[in-house]
Amino acid sequence: IPWAVSMPALDISLAQLQEIWRSDEAVATGMLARLADQPFHESDLRQSVYVEFLYRVLRYCQEASCSQAKTYAILSVMVDTQARAAAENLGKDESFGVWSTLLMERIKSLPAEESMTLAEVQGFTAWATRIFFNHHALYQHVFTQERDGERRRRDLFVHTAVQPLPLTQGELVVPA
C-alpha cells in the first residue's frame, strides 16, 4: 500500500507515563504527540488520529489500574497491531488474529508477578473490540488512504435571523 503509514514506536518513561495520567486530555495528547514525533497532530488528520489512538490506549490502562509493565505490553500490542494492519491492509478478522497472537506473546514475556489475569485479558479484549475493532475500517482508511487536504480551523461569523415578534403582537391577515 503506497500510503500506509509507519507508526513510530513510542518510547515512554515511567515518569512521562505518570505525567500523562495526571494531565487533562489536551496536555496529555500534546505530550504524546511530542513523544511519538507527531508535530502536526493539530492540523494533520492522520497524526491526530494516531495521537488520539495512543491517548485512548493509555487512558484505558490507567482506568484498568494496569502496572507499568502491563501498560507497555498493552500499548505495544495495540500499536503493533495497527501498524501491521495498515502495512498489510488486513481485514478486521485478520487484524484480530494478529492482535491475539501479539497479546499472547506479550503476556508470556511479562514477569510472573506481572502476568495478566483472565479477568484483565477479558476486560482488555472487550475494550479493544469496542474501541478499536468495531472501528477497524475507519482506522484502516485513515492510515492507508491518502487525502488531498489537511484539517483546518476556521472561525466564521454567522448572522442569525431576527427573532419574530410574539404572536400576541402580530396582526391577523386574512387572504382575500
Side-chain angles (χ1 to χ4, degrees), residues 33-132:
R34 284 189 302 280
L35 292 169
D37 193 27
Q38 302 294 299
F40 304 110
H41 73 281
E42 292 179 344
S43 60
D44 180 79
L45 180 62
R46 188 172 285 151
Q47 288 188 22
S48 178
V49 170
Y50 181 57
V51 170
E52 176 68 19
F53 173 77
L54 296 173
Y55 175 77
R56 286 177 157 227
V57 173
L58 292 179
R59 280 294 177 217
Y60 165 77
C61 292
Q62 179 185 26
E63 291 166 5
S65 301
C66 293
S67 66
Q68 180 184 9
K70 289 178 187 175
T71 297
Y72 291 152
I74 288 170
L75 183 62
S76 72
V77 167
M78 294 303 295
V79 169
D80 292 350
T81 298
Q82 179 52 41
R84 186 161 165 205
E88 298 175 24
N89 200 23
L90 301 178
K92 182 178 176 179
D93 292 338
E94 295 168 310
S95 294
F96 189 80
V98 167
W99 178 87
S100 299
T101 301
L102 289 172
L103 180 59
M104 289 296 106
E105 288 173 3
R106 298 313 193 290
I107 289 173
K108 288 178 186 177
S109 70
L110 289 170
E113 65 276 3
E114 291 284 344
S115 186
M116 293 178 77
T117 66
L118 178 59
E120 289 173 324
V121 172
Q122 289 172 333
F124 177 44
T125 302
W127 177 85
T129 299
R130 187 177 68 255
I131 298 299
F132 179 69

Side-chain angles (χ1 to χ4, degrees), residues 16 35 85 87 107 134 151:
Q16 291 166 326
L35 292 169
I107 289 173
N134 284 349
R151 185 174 64 178

